[in-house]
Amino acid sequence: MGAKSLCLGALVLLLLRAAAAGELRSCEDARKVFRLRQLGPLRGFPQTPRAGVDLQVCSSKNPTCCTKKMEERYQAAAKQDIQQVLQTSSAMLKFLISRNAAAFQETFEMLIKLAENYTSTLFCNTHRNMAVEAATHVQEFFTDIGLFIFGTDISTEDFVNRFFDTLFPVVYSHMINPGLRDVSLEYAECLRMATRDIRPFGNVPKIVARQMGRSLLPSRTFLQALNLGIEVINTTDHLHFSKDCSRALLRMQYCPHCQGLTLSKPCMGYCLNVVRGCLANMAEVDLHWQGYIQSLEELSSAMHGTYDIEHVLLNFHSLVNDALVQAHINGPELSEQVNKICGPPVRKPTQSPGCSFDQNKDNQGLKMFSRDSEETLANRRKEFIGHLRLYRAFYGGLADQLCANELAAADGLPCWNGEDVVRSYTHRVVGSGIKAQSGNPEVKVKGTDPVISQIIDKLKHIIQF
């Protein structure tokens, strides 16, 4: 293996030195690469080297295999190449976040459905006579939960209070003052309005509102943060490159082809200057990306125990049962208070319909949702955060990663410095980020990209949340 590597290195060195010494006799090698990479039609491609007086970037004192039209083709290819490399580098990160965003959303949807089924089952099994009337309010309540988690701007306290307010007329007519059913709409509205004053369910609505607020908001923010992570990657995957950057990429990647140096690769220092210059705005995301991952860790840690969404949603039916029991115990006192506020009910006889909820059908989802400790939401989040933490320095080290893994020549080999094949790059190598680019000898960076600034602002908002 070592002997083969030495032979290959010697061959490359001979070819590069021959071309660099001005011994280029044919453009056939450049034509082959041009054709293999499908950079454009071969019509107009020189058969033999020519003077390149019309070239704007790949100019050389030696004869060249490039025309102005080819230079344009190469420049487009250089931009396409760097974007493809960027997308390849972020592919695993993007897949990690998007897969988990979809999985967590699906899990939340199943949790909401199961919690609704638990609550409907409670009414069917324990309070069958009011199950049908209560079903609408139960459904509306869990619809509101789904709307909140998936981004609608509604108040958890409002929809919790609305659920218990609308439930009380049903409870009153079936449990506290049973017998004749179907109270008038006006009387039912009076009961609903009186709920906050007479507090038929005790402290249960306050307990539910507190639990819902403290469990649903972190879950909602968690989902929003994952979707923002995907947006950040999509934005940086399709970064707009400046004209100066495009010219620098052309000079680094394809200008050697004009001199027949199709096997050459840029020197490491040269590559770092060009790519750090082109990705200077992207490097500015680094600090905020690290803060984003840290905030996801903290958010995940806060979503546990009493206020874990899994616990809160699947325990909701127990609190509803507590509320119903309390209303039943305090029935005589509540009836007296209602009579003072709303007067005696105006009712007409009717038959209460039976429960129509198909428990066997809707509870099949329980078999799909494992409550095993290894499958809890908390463990899924922990596993996800553990994988995501590996990408904490993704944006800060991206330019270095691209040059080391994809673009630059290996240490010790002759390399392209933008003008010629040399032993090593002699210019100063600048750091990452916009401020460091003031001394970049290869790329001029004029200022902050507004698209990147917008992404950074969104990351700051999530971090502060």
Side-chain angles (χ1 to χ4, degrees):
M1 184 70 180
K4 287 182 179 179
S5 296
L6 288 173
C7 289
L8 180 60
L11 177 60
V12 170
L13 183 59
L14 286 172
L15 288 171
L16 294 179
R17 278 181 172 172
E23 299 174 13
L24 184 60
R25 296 286 182 265
S26 168
C27 293
E28 186 57 32
D29 288 342
R31 284 172 62 88
K32 285 180 181 178
V33 175
F34 193 87
R35 183 175 64 248
L36 285 172
R37 296 196 180 184
Q38 298 181 336
L39 300 182
L42 286 175
R43 185 177 64 257
F45 199 111
Q47 295 285 347
T48 57
R50 55 183 283 278
V53 293
D54 57 340
L55 300 182
Q56 295 182 345
V57 179
C58 299
S59 56
S60 171
K61 59 184 178 181
N62 297 323
T64 177
C65 287
C66 282
T67 64
K68 186 178 179 181
K69 189 67 176 177
M70 287 172 56
E71 194 178 49
E72 292 172 3
R73 299 273 186 182
Y74 279 139
Q75 182 161 325
K79 287 173 65 175
Q80 188 176 5
D81 288 350
I82 195 72
Q83 284 185 328
Q84 188 171 17
V85 170
L86 283 174
Q87 290 167 21
T88 301
S89 298
S90 65
M92 287 303 296
L93 173 59
K94 184 177 178 179
F95 176 71
L96 172 68
I97 299 177
S98 57
R99 180 189 62 184
N100 278 277
F104 282 115
Q105 177 162 330
E106 183 181 357
T107 302
F108 289 153
E109 288 171 349
M110 182 167 284
L111 273 174
I112 293 168
K113 183 62 178 174
L114 288 177
E116 182 179 343
N117 289 351
Y118 279 164
T119 309
S120 298
T121 301
L122 166 70
F123 281 102
C124 279
N125 290 347
T126 312
H127 308 284
R128 193 174 187 84
N129 61 337
M130 69 175 83
V132 171
E133 290 181 61
T136 300
H137 308 308
V138 170
Q139 186 178 32
E140 287 176 351
F141 176 73
F142 284 101
T143 297
D144 284 338
I145 287 178
L147 288 171
F148 180 86
I149 288 179
F150 301 127
T152 303
D153 189 18
I154 56 178
S155 163
T156 53
E157 186 175 3
D158 284 351
F159 69 69
V160 168
N161 286 331
R162 183 165 58 249
F163 169 74
F164 284 105
D165 290 351
T166 55
L167 184 62
F168 180 55
V170 181
V171 172
Y172 184 79
S173 61
H174 288 279
M175 180 183 286
I176 297 173
N177 198 349
L180 296 176
R181 306 293 199 280
D182 196 21
V183 300
S184 68
L185 291 175
E186 294 80 2
Y187 197 79
E189 179 64 15
C190 182
L191 289 171
R192 190 186 68 80
M193 296 293 291
T195 306
R196 309 282 178 91
D197 294 326
I198 64 178
R199 299 178 65 235
F201 304 120
N203 286 326
V204 172
K206 285 187 177 181
I207 293 170
V208 172
R210 183 173 65 250
Q211 287 190 359
M212 289 294 170
R214 292 185 63 173
S215 68
L216 300 186
L217 184 58
S219 299
R220 166 191 173 123
T221 307
F222 191 77
L223 273 183
Q224 289 176 337
L226 295 188
N227 289 323
L228 175 58
I230 297 169
E231 183 183 349
V232 170
I233 297 165
N234 283 336
T235 300
T236 55
D237 271 356
H238 299 89
L239 193 66
H240 173 75
F241 295 108
S242 68
K243 183 177 180 180
D244 198 71
C245 165
S246 299
R247 291 165 67 94
L249 289 170
L250 164 62
R251 187 179 295 109
M252 181 180 80
Q253 291 290 88
Y254 287 104
C255 283
H257 292 218
C258 296
Q259 298 181 34
L261 303 173
T262 56
L263 297 178
S264 74
K265 281 194 166 189
C267 303
M268 177 60 74
Y270 175 47
C271 180
L272 287 175
N273 276 342
V274 172
V275 180
R276 283 176 179 175
C278 288
L279 303 189
N281 276 282
M282 197 182 294
E284 296 296 310
V285 177
D286 180 55
L287 181 64
H288 308 285
W289 180 257
Q290 291 187 40
Y292 162 79
I293 294 178
Q294 179 65 34
S295 68
L296 274 177
E297 290 184 49
E298 293 170 358
L299 194 59
S300 179
S301 298
M303 297 161 64
H304 71 282
T306 307
Y307 298 107
D308 179 83
I309 188 173
E310 188 175 6
H311 170 81
V312 169
L313 290 182
L314 298 185
N315 193 54
F316 172 72
H317 71 286
S318 297
L319 288 173
V320 172
N321 188 59
D322 292 344
L324 297 177
V325 168
Q326 187 154 342
H328 181 68
I329 292 172
N330 298 327
E333 181 184 342
L334 292 172
S335 186
E336 184 178 335
Q337 289 178 288
V338 166
N339 285 336
K340 288 180 181 178
I341 298 172
C342 301
V346 180
R347 304 179 295 185
K348 57 182 180 180
T350 186
Q351 184 178 357
S352 177
C355 179
S356 60
F357 177 66
D358 188 346
Q359 300 170 52
N360 292 329
K361 175 179 176 293
D362 286 323
N363 281 333
Q364 286 176 356
L366 290 171
K367 298 176 183 178
M368 298 168 58
F369 190 84
S370 173
R371 297 300 308 280
D372 185 86
S373 61
E374 293 183 0
E375 291 296 327
T376 62
L377 269 173
N379 279 305
R380 292 183 198 177
R381 286 194 302 267
K382 184 178 180 180
E383 182 182 0
F384 165 63
I385 294 296
H387 289 305
L388 187 61
R389 198 180 288 121
L390 300 175
Y391 294 91
R392 187 189 296 273
F394 175 75
Y395 284 105
L398 187 55
D400 300 56
Q401 177 191 331
L402 295 185
C403 287
N405 298 343
E406 302 279 346
L407 303 174
D411 288 343
L413 288 179
C415 54
W416 174 255
N417 70 352
E419 296 178 356
D420 210 342
V421 173
V422 295
R423 280 288 183 184
S424 62
Y425 183 70
T426 56
H427 292 296
R428 174 194 170 203
V429 179
V430 300
S432 297
I434 292 176
K435 289 183 179 178
Q437 302 313 307
S438 59
N440 194 326
E442 309 298 343
V443 185
K444 288 183 175 64
V445 179
K446 295 180 180 178
T448 306
D449 186 330
V451 176
I452 294 295
S453 296
Q454 189 177 31
I455 281 293
I456 288 173
D457 286 342
K458 290 183 178 182
L459 286 170
K460 285 179 179 178
H461 177 72
I462 285 288
I463 292 167
Q464 292 170 358
F465 200 86

